[in-house]
Amino acid sequence: MSSLIILKPVTITLDNSFFTLVTEFYPSDAGISRSLKIIERAMEYYQTDNIYKGLLVEFPDHREELDKNRDSRKYLMDFLVERLNEECEDYNG
């Protein structure tokens, strides 16, 4: 028996003095790559350093991890998508 997966997007808003992100996020393993592409497109006009600083504001408990990878735009985007997915899982139970 096949199963149908319907992805309902969650509207995400992150707003701090370094960047503003308002986007649709597709939680779950099936939606991660789609969400990553959407977020990368939305963040393309921000410098990597501003993304790093904004993520420090949004996720202060992850400072050490972010510090080690502050110059890797790919890492920062992956980090953001992982954190958002975790937040959605916590929210949806």
Side-chain angles (χ1 to χ4, degrees):
M1 175 182 270
S2 66
S3 61
L4 176 64
I5 298 173
I6 298 174
L7 298 175
K8 292 185 179 181
V10 176
T11 301
I12 299 291
T13 303
L14 297 176
D15 189 14
N16 56 63
S17 59
F18 299 103
F19 67 77
T20 299
L21 173 66
V22 179
T23 189
E24 296 296 308
F25 183 78
Y26 294 83
S28 82
D29 292 340
I32 291 294
S33 67
R34 182 177 184 180
S35 295
L36 179 59
K37 288 177 185 174
I38 292 168
I39 289 172
E40 284 175 339
R41 222 174 296 127
M43 300 294 277
E44 71 184 352
Y45 299 105
Y46 293 103
Q47 295 178 349
T48 302
D49 192 55
N50 283 350
I51 295 170
Y52 159 75
K53 290 175 182 174
L55 291 175
L56 284 177
V57 170
E58 300 295 334
F59 306 100
D61 294 344
H62 295 274
R63 183 185 233 352
E64 186 176 327
E65 183 181 352
L66 289 167
D67 284 348
K68 289 179 186 176
N69 298 286
R70 70 182 295 160
D71 296 324
S72 173
R73 188 177 192 89
K74 178 175 178 7
Y75 175 85
L76 296 174
M77 294 293 100
D78 289 343
F79 172 88
L80 177 56
V81 169
E82 287 176 26
R83 295 295 85 71
L84 294 177
N85 199 47
E86 287 175 5
E87 293 290 327
C88 288
E89 287 174 0
D90 289 347
Y91 179 75
N92 290 324

